[in-house]
Amino acid sequence: MVQLTINGKSIEVPEGTTVLAAAKRNGIDIPTLCAQKELTPFGGCRLCIVEVQGFRVPIASCTLPVSNGMVVNTETESLKKSRKFILSMLFSERNHFCPFCQVSGGDCELQNAAYREEMTSWPMQPGWNNFVVDSSHPYFVLDNNRCILCRRCVRACGELVGNFTLAVAERGAASSIVADYDVPLGESSCIKCGTCRTSAYQGHNVVMTEIKSVCVGCSVGCNVKLIVHDNRIVRIEGDWDGAVNGGLLCEHGRYDPMNETRQRITSPMVRKNGKLAPVSWDEALKAAAGKLGSDTAAIASTRLSAEALALFKEIFPGATSVEEGIPTAAVMKVAEKNGAFEGRLELLRNADAFLTIGADLARSHMVAGFLVKRALPKGARLVHVSTEESKMDELADVSLKITPGSDLALIEGLQAVIVKEGLGRGELKLADPEKTLQAAVKATGLSAENIALAARILAHAVSPVILYGKGLIAGRDPKPVEALLALAKLIGAVDSERAGLLSVKGEANSVAAAQLGLDSEFKLDGHKAAYVALGDDFASKRLVEKLAKAPALVVQAAYESALTEKADVVLPSALWSEQAGHYVSMDGRVQPAAQAVNPPEGVRENAAILGEVAKRLNVPVKNDWQSALHARKSSVALRAN
């Protein structure tokens, strides 16, 4: 610990803490514009300057580490004068109208900084720039006329997301933020994650309600803040204090829920005379119970909460999940024999080599991909295995395009190289490594040299991580369990202590569904009725085709779809943000999702609907989702986040 004094107050902080962080930790306010706790200190705006005893000139506190005996002053008259001058330069450089702005009301950092220094005007005439406003992006506008060049957007794009789309072009007064090589933002390499931006005005923050919850876009389970006003989600932000994502969100989590165009279902409906007609809940539930029985095929979305999925399983014990042949099925089979064998998401933060197989992190589970991408400029290496082209290929040190169904052969080939060249730190024995390697070459269509290069990258790393997805365990390879066991052997051979194995699953509650035994393929085989608990999920074309010949169909859904058009009974359900529940992330965190807004009148929560269905069918339910969730061994250690 380090002892120092700030404004006469003696404080103690850990070694390596910056003066700015030390001050904030002890309730001492130092103004700043370019600092952000998740970003590397930059020292660009100079607003956080402080006086340090023994230093000749004021220095930026955001980049200055504390030292024993340091004496700091943050509010001297000379500092206030300097800060006013810095702000005056900022205001005069671009087109800022903060003293006359009627909408910020305490929400604008630049305006707040000026008022803190008791500024109501500035002495220099603005430069009146005329930068072209770029509105080509679907979600936000790039306006360099209002930019203060703090570079937080540039740094976030590179440091946090690893995308490096944004940069600063030109110099001095002509400096501007550009995308790639100064192309329109909408045509750039931007992946639309929104980490770089702040929200446009939609009302003062003081009238907004902030609700912490969980994104249900995929199984990463990112922590989010839902900003709500008048029963409407105004915006979705990443929770910078979130243990899972540390503030990061992808396009699917930040923007997709705000741009939903599907038509809501707001009333129960029953098919009468060939057409769906609105009815009361009592009539709809009675009609549903009349069509359902012991000979019912049932399927549920893994976007439903653990509470709803547990009820669904009790009502329909032979049911499956919407993710037909759920990717976690193979994982659970291995876990039932060997117990938990996967690591936590934090493995990706500290790894120095990655092997991704059966997972395209540029398209899905993108926040996990951000953790991989941002490690690459620091020296981490990437081996990407796939059957199709991917944006991850451009970042990979080795990109292996294999023949579909040859994943197991490739993994065994990697094992063979490690044994043959004596690279392993763990125990792994093969009868004939050379023969195994040649078999891998024949099956995968790869060269022995490329397989060897990939194996060496893994073996020479200090903390390698293998990250696999449903392409391996539910898609390409015909022997997913064997492939998964081979991966475990491979990572054990590389390093049994510092290496890690991790999988991206499907949608939000894929792990919970698998824990509940909802992991078999959905089949409509002579059943007299089908029940679909779709919630706010999409009805896939394949699912609609499977259910086309169902003698009777009951659909529990939030939106109209080709599936609800074919239904005999439709039960309107709430959206993910209109109900509370629990979700299990890809690495086993059991997290609560909060209700942020109220559903439309006539719409009920998914668990409530299933509870009513159970009553009408006279099916006794324990309604104990927690016990049901822990009844089965998991590949990850389930724990409250």
Side-chain angles (χ1 to χ4, degrees), residues 15 18 116 149 223 323 367 389 405 424 432 435 444 497 522:
E15 188 176 355
T18 65
R116 185 187 187 278
L149 294 171
N223 309 113
E323 293 176 284
V367 169
E389 295 297 320
D432 192 338
K435 183 178 180 180
T444 61
E497 293 184 1
F522 176 75

Side-chain angles (χ1 to χ4, degrees), residues 551-609:
L553 178 61
V554 179
V555 179
Q556 172 181 329
Y559 295 107
E560 293 180 1
S561 67
L563 197 60
T564 60
E565 289 177 5
K566 298 177 182 295
D568 296 290
V569 181
V570 177
L571 306 174
S573 66
L575 306 183
W576 67 280
S577 57
E578 297 171 348
Q579 56 196 326
H582 286 80
Y583 291 81
V584 184
S585 69
M586 57 185 269
D587 62 353
R589 306 169 200 257
V590 183
Q591 301 187 110
Q595 180 180 347
V597 293
N598 297 318
E601 186 177 355
V603 173
R604 296 185 180 181
E605 297 179 6
N606 283 290
I609 295 172

Side-chain angles (χ1 to χ4, degrees), residues 30-288:
I30 299 177
T32 183
L33 290 172
C34 71
Q36 207 278 344
K37 70 173 186 175
E38 296 295 327
L39 297 173
T40 302
F42 178 61
C45 72
R46 314 307 292 178
L47 199 61
C48 70
I49 54 173
V50 295
E51 293 180 355
V52 181
Q53 193 174 84
F55 283 55
R56 186 173 59 86
V57 295
I59 190 167
S61 61
C62 66
T63 58
L64 178 64
V66 297
S67 61
N68 250 334
M70 179 181 279
V71 178
V72 179
N73 285 301
T74 71
E75 294 296 332
T76 66
E77 287 302 316
S78 61
L79 284 175
K80 292 179 181 180
K81 184 177 180 180
S82 295
R83 286 176 184 149
K84 283 186 178 180
F85 177 75
I86 291 168
L87 286 166
S88 295
M89 294 292 287
L90 281 175
F91 281 119
S92 64
E93 192 172 41
R94 301 285 164 102
N95 305 344
H96 302 295
F97 309 99
C98 288
F100 316 105
C101 177
Q102 296 179 350
V103 298
S104 52
D107 299 343
C108 171
E109 293 178 58
L110 180 60
Q111 186 187 66
N112 291 343
Y115 285 157
R116 185 187 187 278
E117 303 306 321
E118 301 177 347
M119 291 178 64
T120 56
S121 63
W122 57 93
M124 290 167 277
Q125 176 72 17
W128 306 117
N129 293 281
N130 191 26
F131 291 103
V132 174
V133 177
D134 183 352
S135 58
S136 61
H137 197 280
Y139 298 131
F140 42 84
V141 172
L142 174 57
D143 185 359
N144 276 291
N145 298 289
R146 311 301 298 277
C147 178
I148 63 170
L149 294 171
C150 66
R151 292 170 173 78
R152 285 199 320 209
C153 60
V154 177
R155 293 148 59 208
C157 186
E159 292 181 23
L160 301 184
V161 183
N163 216 55
F164 298 95
T165 296
L166 300 177
V168 179
E170 302 298 339
R171 301 176 67 181
S175 298
S176 63
I177 304 298
V178 298
D180 296 333
Y181 295 99
D182 201 6
V183 301
L185 190 56
E187 300 173 13
S188 71
S189 61
C190 173
I191 57 173
K192 306 179 183 68
C193 67
T195 306
C196 64
R197 68 91 181 102
T198 55
S199 178
Y201 176 75
Q202 291 197 52
H204 291 152
N205 282 341
V206 70
V207 302
M208 303 289 178
T209 301
E210 179 184 291
I211 299 172
K212 291 194 175 186
S213 190
V214 178
C215 175
V216 300
C218 74
S219 59
V220 174
C222 292
N223 309 113
V224 298
K225 293 190 292 185
L226 306 177
I227 311 302
V228 177
H229 179 57
D230 196 22
N231 202 44
R232 179 176 71 93
I233 297 177
V234 174
R235 63 182 182 271
I236 300 174
E237 297 179 352
D239 184 358
W240 293 106
D241 296 320
V244 175
N245 53 319
L248 297 176
L249 283 183
C250 70
E251 177 184 8
H252 306 305
R254 192 187 302 273
Y255 295 118
D256 282 0
M258 308 295 293
N259 292 278
E260 182 59 69
T261 58
R262 290 178 289 172
Q263 185 66 39
R264 283 297 298 269
I265 302 170
T266 57
S267 173
M269 291 183 286
V270 172
R271 189 168 296 279
K272 296 180 179 180
N273 300 320
K275 294 183 178 181
L276 288 172
V279 297
S280 67
W281 268 99
D282 184 66
E283 183 177 346
L285 289 166
K286 185 177 180 179

Side-chain angles (χ1 to χ4, degrees), residues 392-517:
M392 297 300 289
D393 294 328
E394 303 169 8
L395 305 173
D397 295 272
V398 179
S399 177
L400 303 178
K401 290 288 173 287
I402 62 172
T403 303
S406 64
D407 300 78
L408 176 57
L410 171 63
I411 297 166
E412 291 174 342
L414 294 170
Q415 293 177 357
V417 172
I418 289 174
V419 172
K420 181 182 175 182
E421 298 186 6
L423 301 175
R425 291 188 282 260
E427 293 186 7
L428 178 64
K429 296 180 180 179
L430 291 176
D432 192 338
E434 181 60 32
K435 183 178 180 180
T436 302
L437 176 59
Q438 292 308 315
V441 169
K442 183 178 180 180
T444 61
L446 301 172
S447 67
E449 290 75 15
N450 279 343
I451 295 175
L453 181 56
R456 291 171 193 143
I457 288 175
L458 276 180
H460 292 153
V462 175
S463 302
V465 172
I466 296 178
L467 193 148
Y468 62 97
K470 63 181 181 180
L472 172 70
I473 53 179
R476 297 190 314 238
D477 201 287
K479 298 179 179 179
V481 174
E482 289 85 344
L484 184 51
L485 289 170
L487 269 186
K489 285 184 179 179
L490 175 62
I491 202 67
V494 172
D495 189 330
S496 58
E497 293 184 1
R498 287 172 292 186
L501 193 62
L502 187 65
S503 67
V504 295
K505 279 77 176 180
E507 290 187 336
N509 248 343
S510 294
V511 176
Q515 286 297 108
L516 295 167

